[in-house]
């Protein structure tokens, strides 16, 4: 390998260092008296050595840590450790395609050290590897210029020309960077022309004259070729050709030049769009690709794809489209396989790229050992879904099947296919299921295909039946389609007896579509069965369908009963709310009259308190929110203090009069937002919030809500002048204000829209977003961003907190695209952050419970009063002394109050009727009824 040769160059000199600084500065010019500087240098060197050792250990644990490779190479280059540096670069290049900057640094370091011809050959080999990773004009230009240094060797001139020609083929069509290569090539040929000129005053020989004519024609040809290609600054090249050429420019060259100018004008909008766009420029590159695809020039299409991939090497879809174009249009083996290899090295987590690579290798007749080796690499690529492993196994098994000659009873290829099927089943069961908690193949598609191969191609129905039995034991026996697949296989390659047996088992086991299976059985017996077979089938299907109908009827009754129960509970809750509302209104009316009798000055307040304190619509369309009454956990008023001193009563009265009621006009909901979860201790909330919300637009009014004691309740209404300002204000949701996340939601009347909920974040699968758990509570957003941005462009980071703003050790990280997120999962999962091992996965939140189910759950939660036991729980002797008959006795009255038993506060506001006293005779009658 090239790396082995590169290491051999310095094997004899382990201590050889890279040249550092200016060689003419003098190595002995340091001041020996500067002992402090020397000591600092030694300390820094020791720190670097320790860091190098740590990075090497980290890579021995996880060789796919891209950033760790970069840090190690940077430190080794700084220390001048040439041997270790070459080894580190070699290891990284085996795992990842290197960027243009890394290759140029590596090449420049090797060029400095290459003095002998053997060392120059190693540099040439390194250049050959560099130009294969990506098409980079700078690397090609560096390669051509370096080759000029070896012009004095045998065949040096032809080698330089060969490299220049290859460079022009690769990037000579590059609209913005191709001109530099053409000019470098012409300068080289001009230099050759100067050396071929005869001495002044001498007459050239015929051989010299022939050489001069040949060299002049080479330069003419280069000019003409360049002027026929759309490149920036073509006018300058044309003017230079006119000045250089002694003869007039041919008409064909002028015609090609004008045609290239026209094509350049068509390309300029796309080049300008790329120049002004921000990374990753995917949309601009795709538009450029579509333009070139319509033009149909394969060389230009290939170049624009390569340019796009150089800046978007982690986008699997772009690689897939490029490889598809090469597979279907160009079909050049070396070009196609090279592109596929680079694709899987850049995006190893994408199973589709590996499958296309295996197909391309088979299509171009690569040897079997190479394909098997590539498949093993794919298994170790670290796919992010269990189903990906099923797909790659299926692709490899398809390839092995196509190698088998089934006309022979037995062959090496057939045994290898069977062995691979068995290994695939075991691999999914062991490796994949252990990692993902699922095999990825619940319907056993691989085993089904194995059974089909055995039945149709090997005529081995016995093995096929064994495989289907195994499939059915894995939870598939309840599905009608699985039985019908087995039946069709038996029908095509088995016998009637086994078909009948399979359908009888299907009738017994199927639970999703039993009618369909029964119909298939009866059809079979109608065509091929005897009378006894028909009778048995009819009896079996009738019995089975009767049981199914009975089960469905019970399920329907149960569902209807549950629905009826829910309706009754809803009606009870509605009735309980109405009674509760009436009792509170009556209680407030009494308390208002009492205050009016005690103090005439409080008459106005008493009249106001007759209104309901909760939100409700009045006739004038206003929504009134009376916050003067302190509410408990379930909305019940706190207990009154009956005997208050007169001065306290006056103080309370004055404070209540000073606090205005918060009125909200429901017609202004579209320009108003509701702000909650604010700190109760916020001083002057109007001023604080106005400064915050003025960035969204002109604020008309801020209405904070206070309690009857004058304390801020933590929520308010913010009204804007314009509707767009209110919509923009919703973007401030979850922003931290005084250490708490502020909730900003649309202003919606819950009486009209009781099910309205606002949740700004997606609850579905988002492949470009990561969910991170296990973070230390002290981890900040900036610290997490430093960890995540190494694997892609981070668009947003959200640290999950509770209502008080305290972190929960969870975070969501959004990347620009799926490729970057997938790469980050591979690199960050299991990473240690501040002595905490974090877990990283693609964001896919669990399904949220439906509101009606949650409502039912809450209702049932309070349906029965909780029994209070001691600190050690319920003791063995803590038995209920109520007779069982009375325990079973329902109490509809107790369930009538909103689905829960009323507590003491509610009882005080609406005292229930005393239960009817029962005599011993009444108890006896009750027990006899049971």
């Amino acid at each position: 390998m090239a790396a082995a040769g590169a290491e051999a160059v310095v094997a004899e000199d382990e201590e050889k260092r890279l040249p550092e600084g200016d060689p003419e500065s003098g190595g002995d010019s340091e001041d020996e008296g500067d002992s402090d500087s020397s000591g600092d240098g030694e300390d820094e060197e020791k720190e670097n050595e320790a860091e190098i050792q740590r990075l090497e250990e980290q890579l021995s644990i996880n060789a796919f840590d891209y950033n760790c490779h970069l840090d190690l190479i940077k430190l080794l280059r700084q220390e001048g450790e040439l041997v270790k540096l070459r080894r580190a670069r070699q290891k990284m290049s085996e795992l990842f395609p290197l960027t243009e900057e890394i290759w140029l640094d590596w090449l420049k370091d090797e060029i400095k050290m290459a003095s002998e011809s053997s060392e120059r050959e190693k540099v040439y080999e390194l250049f050959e590897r560099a130009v294969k990773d990506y098409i980079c004009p700078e690397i090609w230009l560096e390669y051509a210029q370096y080759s000029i240094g070896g012009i004095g060797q045998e065949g040096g001139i032809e080698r330089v020309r060969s490299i220049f020609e290859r460079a022009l083929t690769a990037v000579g069509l590059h609209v913005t960077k191709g001109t530099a290569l053409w000019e470098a090539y012409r300068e080289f040929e001009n230099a050759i022309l100067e050396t071929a000129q005869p001495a002044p005053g001498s007459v050239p020989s015929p051989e010299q004259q022939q050489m001069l004519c040949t060299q002049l024609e080479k330069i003419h040809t280069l000019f003409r070729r360049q002027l026929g290609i759309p490149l920036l600054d073509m006018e300058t090249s044309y003017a230079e050709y006119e000045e250089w050429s002694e003869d007039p420019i041919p008409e064909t060259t002028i015609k090609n030049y004008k045609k290239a100018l026209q094509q350049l004008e068509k390309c300029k909008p796309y080049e300008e769009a790329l120049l002004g766009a921000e990374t990753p420029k995917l949309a601009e590159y795709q538009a450029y690709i579509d333009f070139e695809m319509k033009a149909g020039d394969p060389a230009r299409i290939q170049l624009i794809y390569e340019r796009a991939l150089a800046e978007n090497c982690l986008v699997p879809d772009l690689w897939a489209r490029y490889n598809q174009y090469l597979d279907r249009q160009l079909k050049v083996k070396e070009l196609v396989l090279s592109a596929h290899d680079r694709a899987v090295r850049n995006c190893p987590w994408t199973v589709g790229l590996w499958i296309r690579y295996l197909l391309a290798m088979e299509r171009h007749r690569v040897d079997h050992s190479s394909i098997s080796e590539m498949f093993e690499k794919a298994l170790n690529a670290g796919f992010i879904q269990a189903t990906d492993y099923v797909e790659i196994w299926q692709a490899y098994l398809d390839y092995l099947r196509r190698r088998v000659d089934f006309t022979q009873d037995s062959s090496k290829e057939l045994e290898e296919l069977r062995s691979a099927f068995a290994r695939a089943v075991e691999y999914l069961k062991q490796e994949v299921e252990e990692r993902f908690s699922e095999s990825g193949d619940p319907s056993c598609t691989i085993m089904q295909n194995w059974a089909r191969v055995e039945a149709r191609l090997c005529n081995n129905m016995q093995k096929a039946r064994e495989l289907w039995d195994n499939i059915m034991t894995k939870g598939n026996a309840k599905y009608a389609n699985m039985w019908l697949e087995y039946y069709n296989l038996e029908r095509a390659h088995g016998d009637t007896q086994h078909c009948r047996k399979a359908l009888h088992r299907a009738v017994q086991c199927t639970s999703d579509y039993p009618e369909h299976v029964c119909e298939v059985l009866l059809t079979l017996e109608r065509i091929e069965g005897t009378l006894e077979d028909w009778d048995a089938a009819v009896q079996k299907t009738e019995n089975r369908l009767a049981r199914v109908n009975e089960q469905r009827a019970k399920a329907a009754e149960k569902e209807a009963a549950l629905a009826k129960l829910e309706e009754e509970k809803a009606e009870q809750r509605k009735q309980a709310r109405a009674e509760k509302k009436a009792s509170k209104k009556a209680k407030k009316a009494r308390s208002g009259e009492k205050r009016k009798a005690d103090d005439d000055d409080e008459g106005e307040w008493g009249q106001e308190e007759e209104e309901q304190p909760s939100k409700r619509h009045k006739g004038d369309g206003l929504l009134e929110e009376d916050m003067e009454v302190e509410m408990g956990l379930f909305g019940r008023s706190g207990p009154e203090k009956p005997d208050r001193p007169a001065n306290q009563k006056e103080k309370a009265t004055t404070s209540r009069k000073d606090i205005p009621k918060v009125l909200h006009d429901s017609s202004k909901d579209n320009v108003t937002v509701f702000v909650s979860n604010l700190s109760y201790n916020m001083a002057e909330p109007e001023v604080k919030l106005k400064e915050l919300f003025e960035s969204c637009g002109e604020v008309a009014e801020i209405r904070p809500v206070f309690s009857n004691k004058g304390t801020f309740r933590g929520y308010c209404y913010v009204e804007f002048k314009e509707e767009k300002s209110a919509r923009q204000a919703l973007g401030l949701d979850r922003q931290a204000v005084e250490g708490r996340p502020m909730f900003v939601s649309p202003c919606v009347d819950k009486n009209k829209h009781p099910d309205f909920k606002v949740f700004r974040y997606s609850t579905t699968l988002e492949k470009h977003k990561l969910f991170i758990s296990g973070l230390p509570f002290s981890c900040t957003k900036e610290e997490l961003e430093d960890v995540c941005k190494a694997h892609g462009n981070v668009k947003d980071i959200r640290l999950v907190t509770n209502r008080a703003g305290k972190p929960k050790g969870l975070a969501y990280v959004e990347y620009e695209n799926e490729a970057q997120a997938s790469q980050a999962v591979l690199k960050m999962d299991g990473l240690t952050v501040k002595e905490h091992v974090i877990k990283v996965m693609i964001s896919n939140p669990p399904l949220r419970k439906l509101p009606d189910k949650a409502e039912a759950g809450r209702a049932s939660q309070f349906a029965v009063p909780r029994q209070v036991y001691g600190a050690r729980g319920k003791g063995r002797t803590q038995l209920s002394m109520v007779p069982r008959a009375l325990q079973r006795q329902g109490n509809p009255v107790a369930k009538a109050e909103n689905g829960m038993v009323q507590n003491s506060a509610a009882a005080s506001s609406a005292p229930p009727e005393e239960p009817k006293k029962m005599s011993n005779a009444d108890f006896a009658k009750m027990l006899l009824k049971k």
Side-chain angles (χ1 to χ4, degrees):
M1 292 179 63
E7 292 184 12
V9 175
V10 292
E12 70 277 6
D13 189 5
E14 285 283 336
E15 301 300 325
K16 201 171 188 182
R17 302 287 179 170
L18 283 172
E20 297 179 281
D22 185 0
E24 297 180 0
S25 62
D28 299 329
S29 62
E30 294 183 359
D31 186 3
E32 295 181 359
D34 193 1
S35 59
D36 293 340
S37 301
S38 177
D40 293 342
E42 291 178 359
D43 292 341
E44 183 179 357
E45 186 175 352
K46 289 181 180 179
E47 291 178 1
N48 289 343
E49 290 177 357
E51 180 66 12
I52 288 172
Q53 185 176 358
R54 185 190 69 80
L55 291 172
E56 289 175 342
E57 292 175 356
Q58 181 70 21
L59 287 174
S60 65
I61 298 172
N62 180 15
F64 289 91
D65 193 333
Y66 189 87
N67 294 320
C68 194
H69 281 285
L70 292 179
D71 294 340
L72 179 61
I73 289 172
K74 182 180 178 181
L75 273 177
L76 290 174
R77 193 164 191 259
Q78 180 180 336
E79 292 295 311
E81 294 284 351
L82 180 59
V83 175
K84 289 185 177 179
L85 179 60
R86 280 175 171 164
R87 189 180 298 118
R89 283 167 167 164
Q90 170 63 22
K91 288 182 178 178
M92 185 177 182
S93 67
E94 290 175 354
L95 296 173
F96 306 100
L98 303 186
T99 62
E100 179 181 341
E101 294 77 11
I102 298 176
W103 272 120
L104 288 175
D105 288 341
W106 190 357
L107 290 165
K108 288 175 182 177
D109 290 343
E110 295 295 344
I111 289 172
K112 291 176 183 177
M113 302 305 300
S115 57
E116 301 178 1
S117 59
S118 60
E119 293 175 337
R120 290 186 64 86
E121 289 301 321
K122 303 302 179 185
V123 177
Y124 282 130
E125 293 178 7
L126 201 60
F127 267 114
E128 289 295 330
R129 292 174 56 196
V131 296
K132 289 179 181 177
D133 271 357
Y134 301 106
I135 290 183
C136 299
E138 289 80 2
I139 294 180
W140 275 110
L141 188 59
E142 189 76 23
Y143 189 10
Q145 290 174 345
Y146 178 73
S147 66
I148 293 176
I151 197 174
Q153 299 176 354
E154 184 179 355
I157 294 179
E158 293 305 319
R159 185 172 198 170
V160 174
R161 284 174 175 159
S162 173
I163 292 173
F164 266 119
E165 288 295 335
R166 291 173 56 202
L168 292 180
T169 302
V171 293
L173 299 178
H174 198 298
V175 175
T176 57
K177 298 182 180 180
T179 305
L181 272 169
W182 286 100
E183 291 179 350
Y185 196 1
R186 281 192 284 105
E187 287 175 6
F188 168 73
E189 295 294 352
N190 274 319
I192 299 296
L193 179 64
E194 290 295 329
T195 60
Q197 293 286 355
S202 63
V203 179
S205 64
E207 292 80 7
Q208 289 179 327
Q209 191 69 32
Q210 179 66 29
M211 187 188 312
L212 285 173
C213 291
T214 303
Q215 191 63 28
L216 283 171
E217 185 60 30
K218 287 182 182 294
I219 300 174
H220 275 289
T221 303
L222 282 176
F223 267 119
R224 293 165 187 169
R225 288 170 60 190
Q226 180 182 356
L227 293 175
I229 299 173
L231 300 172
L232 288 182
D233 204 17
M234 291 183 64
E235 297 83 355
T236 304
S237 300
Y238 184 80
E240 184 180 348
Y241 187 28
E242 281 185 320
E243 182 181 352
W244 180 86
S245 178
E246 297 177 354
D247 302 326
I249 300 177
E251 286 297 326
T252 54
T253 303
I254 297 175
K255 183 178 179 181
N256 292 334
Y257 167 69
K258 291 181 178 179
K259 184 177 179 182
L261 275 178
Q262 293 176 357
Q263 190 172 358
L264 178 62
E265 291 301 318
K266 295 179 181 178
C267 294
K268 272 187 178 179
Y270 299 99
E271 293 291 346
E272 291 171 356
L274 288 175
L275 190 62
E278 297 182 357
T279 306
K281 310 178 184 178
L282 275 174
E284 290 77 13
Y285 270 119
Q286 188 57 53
Y288 207 163
I289 290 170
D290 293 340
F291 165 73
E292 294 292 0
M293 290 286 280
K294 290 179 180 178
D297 186 345
R300 299 190 64 82
I301 294 172
Q302 181 189 355
L303 178 62
I304 190 59
Y305 264 120
E306 291 287 353
R307 287 177 61 185
L309 289 167
E311 296 190 43
N312 300 278
C313 59
L314 299 179
V315 180
D317 290 342
L318 189 58
W319 280 108
R321 290 195 293 271
Y322 181 39
N323 291 336
Q324 183 179 7
Y325 171 76
L326 295 177
D327 287 334
R328 296 180 179 179
Q329 302 297 328
L330 297 188
K331 302 180 181 179
V332 180
K333 178 179 179 180
E334 292 74 15
L335 185 61
V336 169
L337 295 183
S338 172
H340 279 289
D341 183 69
R342 290 186 292 139
V344 297
R345 290 177 66 201
N346 277 284
C347 307
W349 63 87
T350 307
V351 68
L353 296 178
W354 287 99
I355 293 174
R356 290 185 179 91
Y357 194 6
L358 293 177
L359 291 171
M361 295 176 76
E362 182 184 3
R363 195 176 293 118
H364 292 282
R365 304 188 183 284
V366 178
D367 61 277
H368 173 61
S369 59
S370 299
I371 296 179
S372 298
E373 182 181 353
M374 191 57 59
F375 168 71
E376 295 297 334
K377 286 184 180 179
L379 284 183
N380 297 321
F383 300 130
I384 59 177
Q385 295 180 8
T387 53
D388 293 344
Y389 288 93
V390 179
E391 292 181 28
I392 193 66
W393 267 111
Q394 192 58 64
Y396 183 59
L397 292 169
D398 292 344
Y399 157 70
L400 293 178
R401 180 194 59 78
R402 289 190 286 267
R403 295 181 66 241
V404 179
D405 182 6
F406 289 102
T407 59
Q408 302 178 9
D409 293 337
S410 179
S411 64
K412 179 182 176 182
E413 290 79 7
L414 179 58
E415 293 305 318
E416 184 178 2
L417 175 61
R418 284 172 171 162
S419 175
F421 267 118
R423 183 189 166 200
V425 172
E426 188 66 20
Y427 186 90
L428 294 176
K429 181 180 179 182
Q430 299 292 335
E431 303 289 337
V432 179
E433 194 165 351
E434 180 179 348
R435 178 181 172 187
F436 296 97
S437 301
E438 58 167 326
S439 67
D441 190 17
S443 57
C444 303
T445 54
I446 288 182
M447 292 183 70
Q448 287 188 48
N449 291 332
W450 188 2
R452 295 187 186 101
V453 168
E454 293 289 352
R456 297 175 184 175
L457 302 177
C458 301
N459 298 319
N460 189 352
M461 275 304 300
Q462 183 61 33
K463 180 64 176 177
R465 292 180 185 121
E466 292 176 5
L467 290 170
W468 270 104
D469 283 340
N470 197 358
I471 292 171
M472 292 305 183
T473 58
K474 295 183 181 295
N476 293 301
K478 58 185 177 181
Y479 300 117
N481 66 315
M482 299 297 287
W483 284 107
L484 295 179
E485 282 286 341
Y486 179 29
Y487 166 74
N488 291 331
L489 192 67
E490 283 284 0
R491 191 74 172 157
H493 307 285
D495 52 56
T496 305
Q497 187 61 30
H498 282 92
C499 289
R500 182 177 290 112
K501 184 178 179 181
L503 289 176
H504 276 275
R505 290 176 60 193
V507 169
Q508 191 67 28
C509 301
T510 301
S511 59
D512 55 350
Y513 299 106
E515 294 89 350
H516 190 32
V517 176
C518 292
E519 182 181 352
V520 174
L521 175 59
L522 294 176
T523 302
L524 173 68
E525 301 300 358
R526 179 176 285 111
I527 296 173
E528 301 186 17
T530 63
L531 178 60
E532 290 77 9
D533 295 332
W534 172 262
D535 290 340
V538 170
Q539 183 178 357
K540 194 174 190 71
T541 55
E542 287 179 350
N543 292 339
R544 175 59 178 160
L545 292 178
R547 288 197 303 271
V548 168
N549 292 331
E550 183 180 352
Q551 292 171 358
R552 289 175 179 172
K554 289 182 179 179
E557 291 177 1
K558 186 176 181 181
E559 186 176 352
L562 288 174
K564 184 178 180 181
L565 182 62
E566 286 299 322
E567 291 178 1
E568 292 176 354
K569 288 181 178 180
E571 186 64 30
Q572 291 173 2
R573 287 193 294 268
K574 183 177 179 181
Q575 183 180 354
R577 283 195 295 268
E579 293 176 358
K580 181 179 174 183
K581 186 175 179 181
S583 65
K584 284 187 177 182
K585 188 173 182 180
K587 180 181 177 182
K588 286 185 179 181
R590 290 195 299 271
S591 62
E593 291 174 0
K594 182 178 179 181
R595 284 196 298 272
K596 186 174 181 180
D598 291 342
D599 193 346
D600 292 340
D601 294 337
E602 297 179 7
E604 182 181 356
W605 179 263
Q607 293 171 6
E608 292 177 356
E609 287 245 322
E610 289 178 5
E611 302 294 337
Q612 183 184 355
S614 60
K615 297 179 183 178
R616 71 178 182 273
H617 285 277
K618 303 176 77 175
D620 56 358
L622 294 179
L623 183 67
E624 182 181 11
E625 182 180 7
D626 188 353
M627 301 304 301
E628 281 72 13
V629 179
E630 286 279 2
M631 308 305 281
L633 182 61
F634 293 104
R636 300 181 177 86
S637 58
E640 291 187 3
K641 295 182 180 179
D643 298 324
R644 291 192 297 174
N647 57 350
Q648 291 183 11
K649 190 180 297 184
E650 289 178 6
K651 222 181 246 186
T653 303
T654 305
S655 66
R656 287 171 179 166
K657 288 182 178 181
D658 292 341
I659 302 172
K661 294 186 178 182
V662 179
L663 299 177
H664 173 62
D665 188 351
S666 59
S667 64
K668 296 183 179 180
D669 282 348
N670 60 328
V671 295
T672 308
V673 295
F674 182 69
V675 183
S676 60
N677 201 45
L678 299 170
S679 173
Y680 288 0
N681 300 323
M682 180 180 290
E684 297 183 349
E686 298 98 325
V687 178
K688 177 80 174 179
L689 296 176
K690 188 170 184 179
E691 294 176 357
L692 185 63
F693 283 96
E694 276 183 339
S695 61
C696 304
E698 185 179 356
V699 178
E701 184 183 8
I702 295 180
R703 300 189 295 278
V705 180
F706 295 90
S707 69
N708 61 338
K709 295 181 180 179
T711 58
F712 181 45
R713 296 299 300 271
Y715 56 95
C716 66
Y717 295 92
V718 179
E719 183 181 327
F720 292 91
K721 292 286 188 180
E722 299 178 351
E723 184 176 352
K724 65 177 183 180
S725 303
R727 288 196 298 267
Q728 188 175 349
L730 297 176
L732 299 178
D733 186 33
R734 312 283 170 162
Q735 180 171 327
V737 177
E738 295 189 0
R740 295 172 63 90
M742 174 181 67
F743 298 161
V744 183
S745 59
C747 192
V748 176
D749 182 9
K750 291 295 186 69
N751 291 332
K752 291 184 177 180
H753 308 281
D755 297 331
F756 177 80
K757 291 184 181 297
V758 176
F759 191 70
R760 62 178 292 191
Y761 304 108
S762 174
T763 57
T764 58
L765 174 65
E766 295 179 282
K767 294 185 177 181
H768 67 289
K769 187 180 290 187
L770 303 184
F771 173 68
I772 303 178
S773 60
L775 289 168
F777 291 163
S778 60
C779 182
T780 64
K781 183 176 181 180
E782 291 75 18
E783 292 172 341
L784 183 58
E785 185 176 7
D786 289 339
V787 176
C788 298
K789 68 182 181 182
H791 310 293
N793 192 1
V794 177
K795 294 181 64 178
D796 184 42
I797 292 180
R798 177 168 66 94
L799 295 176
V800 182
T801 63
N802 58 16
R803 294 179 69 88
K806 303 297 181 182
K808 301 173 72 173
L810 310 174
Y812 289 90
V813 180
E814 182 179 356
Y815 283 92
E816 276 197 344
N817 52 54
E818 173 188 350
Q820 295 179 1
S822 302
Q823 184 75 0
V825 171
L826 296 176
K827 303 293 178 59
M828 293 172 56
D829 189 29
L831 191 68
T832 301
V833 177
K834 292 185 178 182
E835 300 181 355
H836 285 68
V837 179
I838 63 174
K839 293 183 179 180
V840 184
M841 62 191 73
I842 298 296
S843 175
N844 189 13
L847 294 176
R848 299 171 68 88
K849 292 183 178 179
L850 296 175
D852 54 347
K853 293 184 178 180
E855 182 84 13
R858 287 194 297 270
S860 61
Q861 179 181 356
F862 297 103
V864 180
R866 233 176 116 188
Q867 180 66 42
V868 180
Y869 302 116
R872 298 175 61 186
K874 180 177 179 180
R876 293 183 180 179
T877 59
Q878 196 169 348
L879 304 177
S880 174
M881 303 305 293
V882 182
R884 291 191 183 91
L886 295 184
Q887 286 182 345
R888 291 195 300 266
Q889 177 69 25
N891 189 3
V893 177
K895 295 182 181 180
E897 291 295 325
N898 201 19
M900 63 181 76
V901 178
Q902 293 280 339
N903 61 9
S904 58
S908 64
S909 62
E913 297 181 1
E914 293 186 5
K916 182 181 178 181
K917 296 182 179 180
M918 301 179 68
S919 63
N920 291 340
D922 294 332
F923 276 109
K925 290 178 182 179
M926 184 185 302
L927 294 175
L928 288 175
K929 289 180 180 179
K930 300 294 179 182

